[in-house]
Amino acid sequence: MNSRWYGSIILGEILLGFGIGIESLTSPMYIAEMARPSERGRLVSMYALFMCFGQFFAGIIDGIFADVHEGWRYMFGLASIPGFVMFIGFLFLPETPAWLASDGQFASAVLVLSSIRETEEEVESEITDIRVSLSSEELHEERGTTLMTKVWKMLRHSPTRKALLVGCSLMVMQQFCGPNAVLYYAASIYEMSGFNETTSIWLSGFTSISQMLGLVLSVMLVETAGRRILILSSLTLVAIALLGLGMSFYIGRISSAPIATSANFIDDHCLSQPALVWDGVTAYCYDCLQIKGCGFCNGVCVQGDESGPFDTSACPIGESGSFEWVGTTCANPHGWYSVFFMVMYLIVFGVGMGGLPWLVNSEIYPLKHRSLAVSISTATNWIGNLIVSSTFLTISSPAVLTTYGKFPTKFNWCIFIMHVVSSSTILITSV
């Protein structure tokens, strides 16, 4: 790939990031403001469900083009089709009644409500609620004020300030306990578990179905079980799944072929690596392949690449008169443990923490501060996403926490956050 194409990809990703950021801010809020109060929970949860379906569909497309020459071009190009369809669809959507009322257009707000409600009583009831929440004096004060003035007024309003604390905390929880980084690097995680590259790509695509199942359960339960119960239950089960996921990687490590201790075949470059929470000594095939430029053959770890060792004499000859070179993934008879706990993790996350942070943030703010508060909570979510996704591979490396240390760390985060939620005096259901 030449520098011209590289620059184009970076520019496209930046523009895509701006678009996704705006969409993730406006879509849940738009759905919440257009939906009936009795259906709001289900509809906003369905937003998260279909977003997860998009990830699954994208994974399938990636799997199809994984072995195609320059298939990445097709992957990027086909992603423009859903965006174009959404752009055309949104041209025909009206503004929400709440926004029209906040802009002083009460007649237009009534017309929009009349088009999406079945009875006049529903229209009158909702427009009355909007009028009560926005007095004419407040509307007059909001016009022409600067952004910093609006932020200051919002933070001085105690109920909104407390609601914003809850909303931003939920967004942070979603990222630090959530699967976004896991989904981004699912293929890499499966490769660490012992699956080859093509199998890992397909597994990462189908893994997204798990979160979809969890989100379907969330849609079914959100109006009956309640927000807080679902969040606490989800965090508990997520913590268990993360602990199991970390253990599966450790089992995969100690189950891989051990390194022989014969002094005749010691390669100083592949003998050890920098480590924080373990001794760094290469004891298994798993450890060997974590070192760049090293591979495993007949019980020793020597320098080489995917095709073979740099020096064939460095590999001991086996009983068959040859040696078997492992340059990508070690045989792991327990690799499916990782698949099981990954699937469990995504299902139980989807039940509570997958969509409920977006739902809660679309519900708990007063109308006059809603847009600004949702903007701040959405920014918090994406900042958390940036931190987690940009540090995931580094923290999972052998030099830091390793793959079997990273997931128990997320487990500890979930336990801590669950304690905060359960003991908080600011209950989500009563903000």
Side-chain angles (χ1 to χ4, degrees):
M1 182 187 300
N2 59 41
S3 59
R4 179 169 62 89
W5 285 114
Y6 182 77
S8 299
I9 290 175
I10 295 299
L11 177 61
E13 292 286 356
I14 292 173
L15 294 175
L16 183 63
F18 277 113
I20 291 176
I22 295 171
E23 183 277 332
S24 63
L25 159 67
T26 55
S27 294
M29 188 164 58
Y30 185 90
I31 295 169
E33 291 183 355
M34 295 293 278
R36 288 187 178 90
S38 60
E39 299 174 349
R40 184 180 298 137
R42 287 192 178 93
L43 289 177
V44 176
S45 296
M46 288 183 69
Y47 163 78
L49 171 62
F50 282 103
M51 186 165 56
C52 187
F53 173 77
Q55 291 177 320
F56 161 70
F57 190 74
I60 298 301
I61 296 297
D62 290 348
I64 292 173
F65 291 104
D67 296 322
V68 176
H69 176 63
E70 295 192 338
W72 62 270
R73 298 180 187 273
Y74 300 102
M75 298 177 193
F76 277 108
L78 290 173
S80 64
I81 296 176
F84 178 75
V85 173
M86 286 186 65
F87 172 76
I88 298 299
F90 267 88
L91 292 176
F92 299 95
L93 293 179
E95 286 287 357
T96 67
W99 184 88
L100 291 169
S102 68
D103 195 48
Q105 303 179 49
F106 282 96
S108 298
V110 171
L111 287 175
V112 172
L113 272 176
S114 299
S115 67
I116 58 176
R117 298 293 183 264
E118 294 181 354
T119 65
E120 288 295 324
E121 289 76 13
E122 286 182 289
V123 175
E124 292 178 5
S125 174
E126 289 191 40
I127 203 68
T128 299
D129 291 341
I130 292 174
R131 285 182 182 275
V132 170
S133 65
L134 278 176
S135 68
S136 58
E137 289 80 13
E138 288 173 328
L139 284 172
H140 178 74
E141 290 174 3
E142 289 294 317
R143 293 195 184 102
T145 56
T146 64
L147 175 62
M148 292 307 299
T149 302
K150 291 180 180 180
V151 172
W152 177 244
K153 289 180 66 175
M154 179 183 68
L155 295 178
R156 289 179 59 191
H157 187 241
S158 179
T160 305
R161 185 173 65 250
K162 292 178 180 179
L164 186 63
L165 177 61
V166 171
C168 290
S169 297
L170 283 173
M171 291 302 196
V172 171
M173 295 175 198
Q174 188 187 56
Q175 292 303 323
F176 278 75
C177 288
N180 279 347
V182 175
L183 289 173
Y184 296 158
Y185 300 112
S188 298
I189 292 171
Y190 284 130
E191 284 189 59
M192 295 174 191
S193 301
F195 298 97
N196 62 45
E197 183 178 3
T198 301
T199 303
S200 297
I201 291 174
W202 279 105
L203 280 173
S204 66
F206 281 101
T207 297
S208 300
I209 296 178
S210 308
Q211 191 176 356
M212 288 175 59
L213 293 175
L215 286 164
V216 169
L217 291 175
S218 179
V219 170
M220 296 169 60
L221 297 173
V222 66
E223 298 294 354
T224 54
R227 280 63 161 159
R228 186 170 181 269
I229 293 297
L230 284 181
I231 288 175
L232 289 174
S233 301
S234 177
L235 284 170
T236 302
L237 295 173
V238 162
I240 294 171
L242 285 171
L243 188 61
L245 192 56
M247 290 177 62
S248 72
F249 279 104
Y250 183 72
I251 292 173
R253 174 183 178 249
I254 62 176
S255 298
S256 63
I259 300 294
T261 57
S262 173
N264 296 327
F265 297 101
I266 292 179
D267 188 317
D268 290 340
H269 173 74
C270 303
L271 183 63
S272 64
Q273 57 189 305
L276 180 64
V277 296
W278 63 298
D279 58 16
V281 175
T282 304
Y284 301 94
C285 174
Y286 183 96
D287 303 331
C288 176
L289 297 192
Q290 297 292 312
I291 305 174
K292 187 176 181 180
C294 293
F296 182 82
C297 56
N298 290 2
V300 298
C301 184
V302 298
Q303 297 186 62
D305 54 23
E306 293 184 6
S307 60
F310 296 147
D311 180 5
T312 56
S313 65
C315 292
I317 302 300
E319 296 179 357
S320 62
S322 61
F323 61 85
E324 180 183 358
W325 177 252
V326 180
T328 52
T329 55
C330 304
N332 179 9
H334 307 293
W336 288 102
Y337 290 179
S338 299
V339 178
F340 171 79
F341 283 110
M342 178 85 84
V343 169
M344 175 185 172
Y345 170 47
L346 293 172
I347 289 176
V348 298
F349 181 86
V351 171
M353 291 301 293
L356 290 186
W358 297 102
L359 170 60
V360 171
N361 273 279
S362 69
E363 291 181 324
I364 60 177
Y365 305 117
L367 184 57
K368 63 180 179 179
H369 297 307
R370 183 177 297 163
S371 297
L372 183 58
V374 171
S375 300
I376 293 174
S377 63
T378 302
T380 302
N381 183 283
W382 285 109
I383 290 171
N385 187 303
L386 173 65
I387 293 171
V388 172
S389 60
S390 61
T391 59
F392 180 82
L393 290 181
T394 300
I395 294 177
S396 301
S397 68
V400 188
L401 293 181
T402 73
T403 49
Y404 48 86
K406 165 66 176 178
F407 293 106
T409 301
K410 289 171 74 72
F411 159 83
N412 292 329
W413 264 109
C414 290
I415 293 296
F416 169 74
I417 291 169
M418 183 174 61
H419 174 73
V420 171
V421 174
S422 62
S423 62
S424 176
T425 57
I426 308 173
L427 301 181
I428 295 171
T429 53
S430 61
V431 169

